Amino acid sequence: MKRWFIPIILFFTLTACATSPTGRSQLMLVSPEQAISASQEAYVQTLQPLQKEGKLDPDPATTARVREVTGRVIAQAIQLFPASRNWDWSVRVIDEPETVNAWCMAGGKMAVYTGLLNKVNPTDDELAQVMAHEVSHALANHTAEKMSMAMATQMGLMGVAVATQDSAYSGLAMSGGAMAAAMAITLPNSRTAETEADVIGIELAARAGYDPKAAVTLWEKMARVGGSSQPEFLSTHPSPGNRQANLSALADKMMPYYLQPGLRPVYQLR
């Protein structure tokens, strides 16, 4: 069994690949469908205690604003990625004034924290960049990708346990898909994934009628708001030094989408 276990792990790791919307090769030991199912469960588990504490959607006007901006972004996401039409899209505002963060799980389960809204004080254009960026992580299957990386690590540890008969490694198993999905939104994204979400997100926001130049001012605000401590959003969204320059170049290319005449559709969120 020792002789065959590690080669089997390597086989699945090397063959379970997919292609991202930008053409990048992705490790996919967890399918997008599995990630969506696990995220639905994780979303409920994450929100239930917050609901009991009265921390969900504390201000109707704020929730309406978030849903309007996010709904316009989602409408464009569905046009560009038709499979996402079947997602059970949802966004909630979480009342945690010190948490500067937002996230989107696989399948369109989203949240934004009052800390981001109050400390960063984004314009609608800047808020659209936040939400479009998070939506892009879901569209590009980054949750499934991070879950797959965690699974590959776990399989490697199991291989070590089998090969060495060391029981210390065998206790490091994941405790289920929902936990893995919940952990995926707290783990740092790779720079490659961040660049991918930047490219997809700025286009979604521009198509939704939001100024793409706001992507640059948003990250300037994010960098300032932390002071000596780093906001949670930046800890899970590593920012290379040339990010603002890249976003500025992307913004110029996205201006034709932003300047298109006509009203933008709004996906009705619940």
Side-chain angles (χ1 to χ4, degrees), residues 37-177:
S37 177
S39 292
Q40 289 174 337
E41 183 179 350
Y43 196 62
V44 172
Q45 293 176 0
T46 300
L47 295 187
Q48 274 182 343
L50 296 170
Q51 182 77 61
K52 291 179 181 179
E53 295 170 17
K55 289 186 175 182
L56 292 185
D57 303 317
D59 177 60
T62 298
T63 299
R65 178 195 177 206
V66 168
R67 287 180 177 174
E68 167 73 19
V69 172
T70 307
R72 281 170 58 173
V73 169
I74 291 171
Q76 297 302 319
I78 290 172
Q79 288 188 21
L80 293 180
F81 299 83
S84 67
R85 183 180 302 277
N86 299 321
W87 290 3
D88 186 16
W89 292 95
S90 178
V91 64
R92 305 300 297 269
V93 178
I94 298 175
D95 188 18
E96 291 188 359
E98 297 304 314
T99 303
V100 180
N101 202 17
W103 42 260
C104 182
M105 292 180 173
K109 298 297 189 183
M110 310 178 69
V112 60
Y113 292 78
T114 54
L116 186 150
L117 298 173
N118 297 333
K119 289 177 178 289
V120 178
N121 191 25
T123 64
D124 283 359
D125 291 309
E126 291 166 343
L127 179 59
Q129 300 299 327
V130 172
M131 306 315 288
H133 184 91
E134 295 308 312
V135 165
S136 298
H137 280 305
L139 294 172
N141 295 319
H142 290 163
T143 300
E145 189 173 14
K146 285 198 282 187
M147 289 174 68
S148 296
M149 291 298 295
M151 182 177 291
T153 300
Q154 182 194 32
M155 291 170 69
L157 291 171
M158 290 173 63
V160 172
V162 171
T164 64
Q165 295 183 336
D166 189 342
S167 60
Y169 289 101
S170 61
L172 297 175
M174 287 195 301
S175 60

Side-chain angles (χ1 to χ4, degrees), residues 174-189:
M174 287 195 301
S175 60
M179 178 172 286
M183 288 180 61
I185 63 173
T186 66
L187 295 173
N189 293 289

